[in-house]
Amino acid sequence: HWSFWSVSPFSTMLLCVWALCQAQSDTELPPGTPIIQLRLAGDKRKHYEGRVEVYYNGEWGTVCDDDFSIHAANILCRELGYVEAVSWSPSSKYGKGEGRIWLDNVQCSGRERTLAQCKSNGFGVSDCKHSEDVGVVCNERRIPGFKFISSFTNSVESLNVQVEEVRIRAISSQRKRVPITEGYLEVKDGGKWRQICDEEWTEMNNRVICGMYGFPGEKGYNTKVYKLLAKRRKKNYWEFGVNCTGNEASLHGCKLGRKVELKGNATCEKGMPVVVSCVPGRAFAPSHAQGFSKAYRVEQPLVRLRGGANIGDGRVEVLKNGKWGTVCDDSWNLKAASVVCRELGFGSAKEALAGGRLGQGMGPVHMNEVECSGFEKSLTECYFNRDALGCSHEEDAAVRCNVPAMGFQNKLRLSGGRNPFEGRVEVLAEKNGSLVWGTVCSDSWGTMEATVVCRQLGLGFASNAFQETWYWPGDVRADDVVMSGVRCSGTEMTLAQCLHHGKHLHCPQGGGRFAAGVSCSESAPDLVLNAQVVEHTTYLEDRPMYILQCANEEHCLSSSAATATPSSSRRLMRFSSQIHNNGQSDFRPRAAHNSWVWHDCHRHYHSMEVFTHYDLLSLNGTKVAEGHKASFCLEDTQCEEGIEKRYECANFGQQGITVGCWDTYRHDIDCQWIDVTDIVPGDYIFQVVINPNYEVAESDYTNNIMKCRCRYDGHRLWTYNCHIGERLDDNSGDYWLQQY
């Protein structure tokens, strides 16, 4: 299926799906059946759902929810070309319509062929208000062979393109290229593939097609080759042209163009079948040959995506004054989302998400009420309201972009799991000249590697990485290890892009029960340290050794403490840390409750032996002092309004951090420090890293690090300029904001 959105002439927020009644069919409708036309409309929705609108007697109107049922929804969805209805919604879920309420008290048995055959009060007879407008959600699968022909032939050019499928058919010399970027454009209508005449084809049409296939731009092609091929092949033209504005998310959002007169071999005499040639983003370019080396390379990115599970998904963040911040969802729409997607080397946007759907960011909200024409090269070129205040991170905007079909999912599989989201990892590799399935050596297999596997398969985030998979009996023909030494950074699109041994395999423990495995999840936690709390609570304390024995046993002091006398003291840099879970699922320790380690000295359990690293670095990055904090207690210290605490450490309780809550480690507890006894006065960098060993999978690791500038004069210590993640000290992100 192809998702699509279109902008109504009445409002930029009204997104309409038009569908045509099936006028040609095996059996005609009974005489006297009113001829109607249906469409789905409304705000912020997918193309297969929306407010039901009916065209009757030259006027669009709505349907009241009184007596409406799933039977009526099924009739309606099938009339729109979908296989069935999933659900229906009363009380104007998709916004209030306008004009007449054409139908009320609609009662269908489920056997009708059109909504017009169902019992009702009659057209225009209703006592409802538009607050009662009904909406439906259809199954996104299309009815095979469904032919969309207008019952109102005089208004064809006001209707949207509705076809079963769309494809770019590459010529034989380019069929092995991945991704396919060039070829004849074909649409499937009435169960048959058809070409489109290029006599009135435009660059805007090309732009839309390339965008829906995941490509940010279009380019020219060798017309001689395609003209020659077109003369040799039998053609089967579609009966309509296409008219796109360039901002549609897919061909389905474009209007039908002029009707083409089908005259056999004489059809489209002055033209030929449409050919589309697209430019892929750099990450998807098949080679660095001519046309790809300059493909949308971003030298200094001003926009990025964070927190998305799959390629092309994420919360939108922009760079301003050297700081990354988010975008408020006020007025956020597909035009703005598509600008972001194309800027980052993807195609047009599938969805413009609001309400912090892909996690909440940290720091400032840089842009609000963004308005784009859709043709900007960067989101930073769009107009936005500099004076609009009051947006919170609960309103962070996000996108889902169209990405090219790379076939990544065909080269990897999970085997033996209890559900499709888990199992032994098996890869397709070349062995003795043929492609075979095999396992991955689990030496050093961890969360980052599992993250890449889940992303490659489109299964979301990693939940766990397994180094033993004897309990998942995979395909015995795939037991042999075909990949070893895998090391991933976590940003790769495929496991093959990670470092690995290549043909020279090395796996001493072998595959079989020790083959690598994963489990994936549609959501993940996201821990972020509150940098301001750290900056405001840092201070020095001289503490005698005789009361630091437990801390010394847990290796919370520097190595020189081993030879220190009980009467001596240690100089400690103390601070509080407040760790928020901004993700979409709870943060839970990886270790099971019964395997937590008891520490007798402090009289508590550690659910994670290393939860945070505390380091003091020289200005050139050399570590001069360090500390670490075991998670002896992961709990909800406090939560946002309306969220209940779920985790409490008392009485060996369950540990974790709930979404929307935070865990505070106060400055006055043991090991909440760095031992700075041995450092000399000077300037330093203070660094805190949460979940440093990636023991627990998160949606975003880039915000797990905090850095501060730090000055020590031998008596006092100052921390300042604390920030999360990487920071750019130049002003590269400033210039675009000076436009307004």
Side-chain angles (χ1 to χ4, degrees), residues 232-288:
R232 295 176 181 173
R233 290 178 175 170
K234 184 179 178 181
K235 294 173 284 293
N236 182 19
Y237 281 106
W238 194 41
E239 56 191 310
F240 296 103
V242 175
N243 184 16
C244 305
T245 65
N247 272 326
E248 295 87 353
S250 80
L251 185 66
H252 297 101
C254 300
K255 302 293 184 190
L256 289 176
R258 184 177 57 85
K259 193 164 184 177
V260 176
E261 188 178 351
L262 301 180
K263 301 181 292 184
N265 292 336
T267 305
C268 195
E269 281 183 297
K270 297 179 181 178
M272 62 179 238
V274 166
V275 175
V276 175
S277 184
C278 306
V279 181
R282 188 171 181 82
F284 304 101
S287 71
H288 291 289

Short mmCIF file of all heavy atoms in Angstrom, two decimals, residues 232-288:
data_model
loop_
_atom_site.label_atom_id
_atom_site.label_comp_id
_atom_site.label_asym_id
_atom_site.label_seq_id
_atom_site.Cartn_x
_atom_site.Cartn_y
_atom_site.Cartn_z
N ARG A 232 9.88 -0.92 -29.18
CA ARG A 232 9.92 -2.38 -29.35
C ARG A 232 8.87 -3.10 -28.51
O ARG A 232 8.55 -4.25 -28.77
CB ARG A 232 11.30 -2.90 -28.95
CG ARG A 232 12.42 -2.41 -29.85
CD ARG A 232 13.75 -2.91 -29.30
NE ARG A 232 14.87 -2.46 -30.12
CZ ARG A 232 16.15 -2.64 -29.79
NH1 ARG A 232 16.44 -3.28 -28.66
NH2 ARG A 232 17.11 -2.21 -30.56
N ARG A 233 8.38 -2.46 -27.47
CA ARG A 233 7.50 -3.14 -26.53
C ARG A 233 6.03 -2.76 -26.73
O ARG A 233 5.72 -1.63 -27.10
CB ARG A 233 7.90 -2.80 -25.09
CG ARG A 233 9.22 -3.42 -24.69
CD ARG A 233 9.59 -3.02 -23.29
NE ARG A 233 10.80 -3.72 -22.86
CZ ARG A 233 11.46 -3.42 -21.75
NH1 ARG A 233 11.04 -2.46 -20.97
NH2 ARG A 233 12.54 -4.10 -21.42
N LYS A 234 5.18 -3.74 -26.43
CA LYS A 234 3.75 -3.47 -26.46
C LYS A 234 3.38 -2.64 -25.23
O LYS A 234 3.81 -2.93 -24.12
CB LYS A 234 2.97 -4.79 -26.46
CG LYS A 234 1.47 -4.59 -26.59
CD LYS A 234 0.73 -5.92 -26.61
CE LYS A 234 -0.77 -5.69 -26.70
NZ LYS A 234 -1.52 -6.97 -26.69
N LYS A 235 2.59 -1.61 -25.44
CA LYS A 235 2.25 -0.70 -24.34
C LYS A 235 0.78 -0.86 -23.95
O LYS A 235 -0.06 -1.15 -24.79
CB LYS A 235 2.56 0.75 -24.75
CG LYS A 235 4.06 0.99 -24.95
CD LYS A 235 4.36 2.35 -25.51
CE LYS A 235 4.07 2.42 -27.01
NZ LYS A 235 4.99 1.57 -27.80
N ASN A 236 0.54 -0.64 -22.67
CA ASN A 236 -0.83 -0.73 -22.14
C ASN A 236 -1.05 0.51 -21.27
O ASN A 236 -0.78 0.49 -20.07
CB ASN A 236 -0.98 -2.02 -21.34
CG ASN A 236 -2.39 -2.19 -20.80
OD1 ASN A 236 -3.33 -1.58 -21.28
ND2 ASN A 236 -2.53 -3.01 -19.76
N TYR A 237 -1.49 1.59 -21.88
CA TYR A 237 -1.55 2.87 -21.18
C TYR A 237 -2.73 2.95 -20.22
O TYR A 237 -3.81 2.39 -20.47
CB TYR A 237 -1.66 4.03 -22.18
CG TYR A 237 -0.34 4.39 -22.82
CD1 TYR A 237 -0.08 4.05 -24.14
CD2 TYR A 237 0.64 5.07 -22.10
CE1 TYR A 237 1.12 4.38 -24.75
CE2 TYR A 237 1.85 5.41 -22.70
CZ TYR A 237 2.09 5.06 -24.02
OH TYR A 237 3.29 5.38 -24.60
N TRP A 238 -2.50 3.67 -19.11
CA TRP A 238 -3.57 4.01 -18.17
C TRP A 238 -4.41 5.11 -18.80
O TRP A 238 -3.90 5.92 -19.60
CB TRP A 238 -2.97 4.47 -16.84
CG TRP A 238 -3.94 4.52 -15.69
CD1 TRP A 238 -4.90 3.61 -15.40
CD2 TRP A 238 -4.01 5.52 -14.68
NE1 TRP A 238 -5.57 3.97 -14.25
CE2 TRP A 238 -5.04 5.14 -13.80
CE3 TRP A 238 -3.32 6.69 -14.43
CZ2 TRP A 238 -5.39 5.90 -12.69
CZ3 TRP A 238 -3.65 7.45 -13.32
CH2 TRP A 238 -4.68 7.05 -12.45
N GLU A 239 -5.68 5.21 -18.43
CA GLU A 239 -6.58 6.13 -19.13
C GLU A 239 -6.59 7.55 -18.57
O GLU A 239 -7.39 8.37 -19.01
CB GLU A 239 -7.99 5.57 -19.13
CG GLU A 239 -8.54 5.27 -17.75
CD GLU A 239 -9.83 4.46 -17.81
OE1 GLU A 239 -10.75 4.85 -18.56
OE2 GLU A 239 -9.91 3.45 -17.10
N PHE A 240 -5.69 7.82 -17.63
CA PHE A 240 -5.65 9.18 -17.06
C PHE A 240 -4.22 9.70 -17.02
O PHE A 240 -3.26 8.94 -16.92
CB PHE A 240 -6.20 9.19 -15.63
CG PHE A 240 -7.65 8.83 -15.53
CD1 PHE A 240 -8.05 7.58 -15.10
CD2 PHE A 240 -8.63 9.74 -15.89
CE1 PHE A 240 -9.39 7.24 -15.01
CE2 PHE A 240 -9.98 9.42 -15.80
CZ PHE A 240 -10.35 8.16 -15.36
N GLY A 241 -4.11 11.03 -17.06
CA GLY A 241 -2.85 11.68 -16.73
C GLY A 241 -2.80 11.93 -15.23
O GLY A 241 -3.71 11.56 -14.48
N VAL A 242 -1.73 12.57 -14.78
CA VAL A 242 -1.54 12.84 -13.36
C VAL A 242 -1.12 14.28 -13.18
O VAL A 242 -0.33 14.82 -13.97
CB VAL A 242 -0.46 11.89 -12.75
CG1 VAL A 242 -0.18 12.27 -11.30
CG2 VAL A 242 -0.91 10.44 -12.84
N ASN A 243 -1.65 14.92 -12.14
CA ASN A 243 -1.34 16.33 -11.89
C ASN A 243 -0.95 16.51 -10.43
O ASN A 243 -1.82 16.56 -9.55
CB ASN A 243 -2.56 17.19 -12.25
CG ASN A 243 -2.28 18.67 -12.10
OD1 ASN A 243 -1.13 19.09 -12.01
ND2 ASN A 243 -3.35 19.46 -12.07
N CYS A 244 0.35 16.60 -10.15
CA CYS A 244 0.86 16.76 -8.77
C CYS A 244 1.37 18.19 -8.56
O CYS A 244 1.89 18.82 -9.48
CB CYS A 244 2.01 15.80 -8.49
SG CYS A 244 1.66 14.05 -8.77
N THR A 245 1.26 18.66 -7.33
CA THR A 245 1.81 19.98 -6.98
C THR A 245 3.28 19.88 -6.56
O THR A 245 3.98 20.87 -6.52
CB THR A 245 1.03 20.61 -5.82
OG1 THR A 245 1.23 19.81 -4.64
CG2 THR A 245 -0.45 20.70 -6.14
N GLY A 246 3.73 18.67 -6.21
CA GLY A 246 5.11 18.47 -5.74
C GLY A 246 5.21 18.27 -4.25
O GLY A 246 6.25 17.85 -3.74
N ASN A 247 4.12 18.55 -3.53
CA ASN A 247 4.13 18.41 -2.06
C ASN A 247 3.42 17.15 -1.57
O ASN A 247 3.42 16.88 -0.37
CB ASN A 247 3.47 19.63 -1.40
CG ASN A 247 4.48 20.73 -1.15
OD1 ASN A 247 5.64 20.46 -0.85
ND2 ASN A 247 4.04 21.97 -1.28
N GLU A 248 2.84 16.38 -2.46
CA GLU A 248 2.13 15.18 -2.03
C GLU A 248 3.11 14.13 -1.51
O GLU A 248 4.24 14.02 -1.99
CB GLU A 248 1.32 14.59 -3.20
CG GLU A 248 0.20 15.49 -3.69
CD GLU A 248 0.64 16.51 -4.73
OE1 GLU A 248 1.87 16.62 -4.99
OE2 GLU A 248 -0.23 17.21 -5.28
N ALA A 249 2.65 13.34 -0.53
CA ALA A 249 3.50 12.31 0.05
C ALA A 249 3.62 11.10 -0.87
O ALA A 249 4.55 10.32 -0.75
CB ALA A 249 2.96 11.87 1.41
N SER A 250 2.65 10.92 -1.77
CA SER A 250 2.71 9.83 -2.73
C SER A 250 1.80 10.15 -3.90
O SER A 250 1.08 11.15 -3.89
CB SER A 250 2.26 8.51 -2.07
OG SER A 250 0.85 8.45 -2.02
N LEU A 251 1.84 9.30 -4.91
CA LEU A 251 1.02 9.50 -6.10
C LEU A 251 -0.46 9.56 -5.75
O LEU A 251 -1.24 10.24 -6.41
CB LEU A 251 1.28 8.37 -7.10
CG LEU A 251 0.60 8.49 -8.46
CD1 LEU A 251 1.15 9.67 -9.24
CD2 LEU A 251 0.76 7.20 -9.26
N HIS A 252 -0.87 8.86 -4.70
CA HIS A 252 -2.28 8.83 -4.32
C HIS A 252 -2.80 10.19 -3.87
O HIS A 252 -4.01 10.41 -3.81
CB HIS A 252 -2.51 7.81 -3.20
CG HIS A 252 -2.21 6.41 -3.61
ND1 HIS A 252 -1.04 5.78 -3.27
CD2 HIS A 252 -2.92 5.53 -4.36
CE1 HIS A 252 -1.06 4.56 -3.78
NE2 HIS A 252 -2.17 4.38 -4.44
N GLY A 253 -1.91 11.10 -3.53
CA GLY A 253 -2.33 12.43 -3.13
C GLY A 253 -2.50 13.38 -4.29
O GLY A 253 -3.02 14.49 -4.13
N CYS A 254 -2.06 12.98 -5.48
CA CYS A 254 -2.14 13.84 -6.66
C CYS A 254 -3.53 13.76 -7.30
O CYS A 254 -4.26 12.79 -7.13
CB CYS A 254 -1.09 13.41 -7.70
SG CYS A 254 0.62 13.50 -7.10
N LYS A 255 -3.88 14.81 -8.02
CA LYS A 255 -5.15 14.83 -8.75
C LYS A 255 -5.00 14.07 -10.07
O LYS A 255 -3.92 13.98 -10.63
CB LYS A 255 -5.58 16.27 -9.04
CG LYS A 255 -5.75 17.14 -7.81
CD LYS A 255 -6.90 16.68 -6.96
CE LYS A 255 -7.11 17.62 -5.77
NZ LYS A 255 -8.06 17.07 -4.81
N LEU A 256 -6.13 13.54 -10.54
CA LEU A 256 -6.13 12.96 -11.87
C LEU A 256 -5.97 14.07 -12.91
O LEU A 256 -6.53 15.15 -12.77
CB LEU A 256 -7.45 12.23 -12.13
CG LEU A 256 -7.69 10.92 -11.37
CD1 LEU A 256 -9.09 10.40 -11.68
CD2 LEU A 256 -6.65 9.89 -11.73
N GLY A 257 -5.18 13.79 -13.93
CA GLY A 257 -5.02 14.74 -15.02
C GLY A 257 -6.06 14.51 -16.10
O GLY A 257 -7.09 13.85 -15.89
N ARG A 258 -5.77 15.02 -17.29
CA ARG A 258 -6.68 14.89 -18.42
C ARG A 258 -6.88 13.41 -18.78
O ARG A 258 -5.96 12.61 -18.71
CB ARG A 258 -6.11 15.65 -19.62
CG ARG A 258 -6.99 15.68 -20.85
CD ARG A 258 -6.34 16.53 -21.94
NE ARG A 258 -5.02 16.04 -22.27
CZ ARG A 258 -4.80 15.06 -23.15
NH1 ARG A 258 -5.81 14.46 -23.76
NH2 ARG A 258 -3.57 14.67 -23.42
N LYS A 259 -8.11 13.08 -19.15
CA LYS A 259 -8.39 11.71 -19.56
C LYS A 259 -7.71 11.43 -20.90
O LYS A 259 -7.77 12.24 -21.82
CB LYS A 259 -9.90 11.48 -19.67
CG LYS A 259 -10.27 10.01 -19.78
CD LYS A 259 -11.75 9.78 -19.49
CE LYS A 259 -12.06 8.28 -19.50
NZ LYS A 259 -13.45 7.99 -19.14
N VAL A 260 -7.04 10.28 -20.98
CA VAL A 260 -6.29 9.93 -22.18
C VAL A 260 -7.18 9.09 -23.09
O VAL A 260 -7.81 8.12 -22.65
CB VAL A 260 -5.01 9.13 -21.81
CG1 VAL A 260 -4.29 8.66 -23.07
CG2 VAL A 260 -4.10 9.97 -20.94
N GLU A 261 -7.22 9.45 -24.36
CA GLU A 261 -8.00 8.69 -25.33
C GLU A 261 -7.22 7.45 -25.73
O GLU A 261 -6.12 7.54 -26.29
CB GLU A 261 -8.31 9.55 -26.56
CG GLU A 261 -9.29 8.88 -27.51
CD GLU A 261 -9.62 9.77 -28.70
OE1 GLU A 261 -9.22 10.96 -28.69
OE2 GLU A 261 -10.28 9.27 -29.63
N LEU A 262 -7.75 6.28 -25.40
CA LEU A 262 -7.06 5.03 -25.70
C LEU A 262 -7.36 4.61 -27.14
O LEU A 262 -8.50 4.29 -27.49
CB LEU A 262 -7.50 3.94 -24.72
CG LEU A 262 -7.25 4.26 -23.23
CD1 LEU A 262 -7.74 3.11 -22.35
CD2 LEU A 262 -5.77 4.53 -22.97
N LYS A 263 -6.31 4.62 -27.99
CA LYS A 263 -6.48 4.32 -29.42
C LYS A 263 -5.52 3.23 -29.87
O LYS A 263 -4.94 3.30 -30.95
CB LYS A 263 -6.25 5.59 -30.24
CG LYS A 263 -7.19 6.74 -29.90
CD LYS A 263 -6.93 7.96 -30.76
CE LYS A 263 -5.58 8.58 -30.43
NZ LYS A 263 -5.34 9.84 -31.18
N GLY A 264 -5.33 2.23 -29.01
CA GLY A 264 -4.43 1.13 -29.37
C GLY A 264 -3.01 1.63 -29.54
O GLY A 264 -2.48 2.36 -28.69
N ASN A 265 -2.35 1.27 -30.63
CA ASN A 265 -0.96 1.69 -30.88
C ASN A 265 -0.83 3.19 -31.11
O ASN A 265 0.27 3.74 -31.05
CB ASN A 265 -0.39 0.93 -32.09
CG ASN A 265 -0.22 -0.55 -31.80
OD1 ASN A 265 -0.08 -0.94 -30.64
ND2 ASN A 265 -0.23 -1.37 -32.85
N ALA A 266 -1.94 3.85 -31.40
CA ALA A 266 -1.89 5.29 -31.65
C ALA A 266 -2.04 6.11 -30.37
O ALA A 266 -1.99 7.34 -30.41
CB ALA A 266 -2.99 5.67 -32.64
N THR A 267 -2.22 5.44 -29.22
CA THR A 267 -2.33 6.15 -27.94
C THR A 267 -1.01 6.83 -27.62
O THR A 267 0.07 6.27 -27.84
CB THR A 267 -2.68 5.17 -26.80
OG1 THR A 267 -3.86 4.45 -27.15
CG2 THR A 267 -2.90 5.91 -25.49
N CYS A 268 -1.08 8.07 -27.10
CA CYS A 268 0.13 8.83 -26.68
C CYS A 268 1.11 8.98 -27.86
O CYS A 268 2.30 8.74 -27.73
CB CYS A 268 0.80 8.12 -25.50
SG CYS A 268 2.02 9.12 -24.59
N GLU A 269 0.57 9.40 -29.02
CA GLU A 269 1.38 9.48 -30.25
C GLU A 269 2.57 10.42 -30.10
O GLU A 269 3.65 10.17 -30.64
CB GLU A 269 0.50 9.93 -31.41
CG GLU A 269 -0.36 8.84 -32.01
CD GLU A 269 -1.16 9.33 -33.20
OE1 GLU A 269 -2.01 10.23 -33.02
OE2 GLU A 269 -0.91 8.81 -34.30
N LYS A 270 2.37 11.52 -29.39
CA LYS A 270 3.44 12.52 -29.29
C LYS A 270 4.39 12.28 -28.11
O LYS A 270 5.30 13.06 -27.87
CB LYS A 270 2.83 13.91 -29.16
CG LYS A 270 2.01 14.32 -30.37
CD LYS A 270 1.41 15.70 -30.18
CE LYS A 270 0.56 16.10 -31.39
NZ LYS A 270 -0.08 17.43 -31.19
N GLY A 271 4.13 11.21 -27.39
CA GLY A 271 4.97 10.95 -26.22
C GLY A 271 5.37 9.50 -26.12
O GLY A 271 5.37 8.76 -27.11
N MET A 272 5.68 9.05 -24.89
CA MET A 272 6.06 7.68 -24.61
C MET A 272 5.74 7.39 -23.15
O MET A 272 5.30 8.29 -22.41
CB MET A 272 7.56 7.49 -24.88
CG MET A 272 8.47 8.34 -24.00
SD MET A 272 10.20 8.02 -24.35
CE MET A 272 10.78 7.52 -22.73
N PRO A 273 5.90 6.15 -22.68
CA PRO A 273 5.63 5.89 -21.26
C PRO A 273 6.54 6.72 -20.34
O PRO A 273 7.71 6.94 -20.65
CB PRO A 273 5.94 4.40 -21.12
CG PRO A 273 5.77 3.84 -22.49
CD PRO A 273 6.22 4.92 -23.42
N VAL A 274 5.96 7.15 -19.23
CA VAL A 274 6.71 7.97 -18.26
C VAL A 274 7.90 7.18 -17.71
O VAL A 274 7.77 6.00 -17.34
CB VAL A 274 5.80 8.41 -17.10
CG1 VAL A 274 6.62 8.95 -15.93
CG2 VAL A 274 4.81 9.46 -17.58
N VAL A 275 9.06 7.84 -17.67
CA VAL A 275 10.26 7.29 -17.03
C VAL A 275 10.64 8.21 -15.88
O VAL A 275 10.63 9.44 -16.02
CB VAL A 275 11.43 7.18 -18.04
CG1 VAL A 275 12.70 6.71 -17.32
CG2 VAL A 275 11.07 6.24 -19.17
N VAL A 276 10.96 7.62 -14.74
CA VAL A 276 11.35 8.39 -13.56
C VAL A 276 12.78 8.03 -13.20
O VAL A 276 13.15 6.84 -13.22
CB VAL A 276 10.42 8.09 -12.37
CG1 VAL A 276 10.91 8.80 -11.11
CG2 VAL A 276 9.00 8.50 -12.68
N SER A 277 13.61 9.01 -12.88
CA SER A 277 14.99 8.79 -12.45
C SER A 277 15.24 9.60 -11.18
O SER A 277 15.06 10.81 -11.18
CB SER A 277 15.97 9.20 -13.55
OG SER A 277 17.29 8.89 -13.16
N CYS A 278 15.62 8.92 -10.11
CA CYS A 278 15.73 9.56 -8.79
C CYS A 278 17.16 9.57 -8.27
O CYS A 278 17.98 8.71 -8.63
CB CYS A 278 14.84 8.82 -7.77
SG CYS A 278 13.12 8.66 -8.29
N VAL A 279 17.45 10.53 -7.40
CA VAL A 279 18.75 10.63 -6.74
C VAL A 279 18.61 10.15 -5.30
O VAL A 279 17.84 10.72 -4.54
CB VAL A 279 19.27 12.09 -6.74
CG1 VAL A 279 20.64 12.16 -6.07
CG2 VAL A 279 19.35 12.62 -8.15
N PRO A 280 19.33 9.09 -4.91
CA PRO A 280 19.21 8.60 -3.53
C PRO A 280 20.03 9.44 -2.57
O PRO A 280 20.98 10.12 -2.97
CB PRO A 280 19.78 7.19 -3.62
CG PRO A 280 20.79 7.26 -4.72
CD PRO A 280 20.25 8.27 -5.71
N GLY A 281 19.65 9.41 -1.31
CA GLY A 281 20.48 10.01 -0.28
C GLY A 281 21.79 9.26 -0.18
O GLY A 281 21.89 8.10 -0.59
N ARG A 282 22.80 9.90 0.37
CA ARG A 282 24.15 9.33 0.38
C ARG A 282 24.19 7.96 1.05
O ARG A 282 24.90 7.06 0.61
CB ARG A 282 25.10 10.30 1.09
CG ARG A 282 26.56 9.89 0.98
CD ARG A 282 27.48 10.98 1.51
NE ARG A 282 28.87 10.60 1.38
CZ ARG A 282 29.58 10.72 0.28
NH1 ARG A 282 29.01 11.17 -0.83
NH2 ARG A 282 30.86 10.36 0.24
N ALA A 283 23.43 7.78 2.12
CA ALA A 283 23.47 6.51 2.85
C ALA A 283 22.93 5.35 2.02
O ALA A 283 23.22 4.19 2.30
CB ALA A 283 22.66 6.62 4.14
N PHE A 284 22.15 5.67 0.97
CA PHE A 284 21.51 4.62 0.17
C PHE A 284 22.09 4.53 -1.24
O PHE A 284 21.61 3.74 -2.04
CB PHE A 284 20.01 4.88 0.07
CG PHE A 284 19.33 5.00 1.40
CD1 PHE A 284 19.01 6.24 1.93
CD2 PHE A 284 19.02 3.87 2.15
CE1 PHE A 284 18.40 6.36 3.16
CE2 PHE A 284 18.41 3.97 3.38
CZ PHE A 284 18.10 5.22 3.89
N ALA A 285 23.10 5.35 -1.55
CA ALA A 285 23.67 5.36 -2.89
C ALA A 285 24.34 4.02 -3.18
O ALA A 285 25.15 3.54 -2.40
CB ALA A 285 24.67 6.50 -3.04
N PRO A 286 24.02 3.38 -4.33
CA PRO A 286 24.60 2.08 -4.63
C PRO A 286 26.09 2.13 -4.93
O PRO A 286 26.80 1.15 -4.78
CB PRO A 286 23.81 1.62 -5.85
CG PRO A 286 23.25 2.85 -6.45
CD PRO A 286 23.04 3.81 -5.33
N SER A 287 26.58 3.28 -5.35
CA SER A 287 28.01 3.42 -5.62
C SER A 287 28.34 4.90 -5.64
O SER A 287 27.49 5.75 -5.49
CB SER A 287 28.36 2.79 -6.98
OG SER A 287 27.84 3.59 -8.03
N HIS A 288 29.63 5.21 -5.84
CA HIS A 288 30.02 6.62 -5.94
C HIS A 288 30.22 7.01 -7.40
O HIS A 288 31.03 7.86 -7.73
CB HIS A 288 31.29 6.86 -5.13
CG HIS A 288 31.07 6.75 -3.66
ND1 HIS A 288 30.36 7.68 -2.95
CD2 HIS A 288 31.41 5.78 -2.77
CE1 HIS A 288 30.30 7.32 -1.68
NE2 HIS A 288 30.92 6.17 -1.55
#
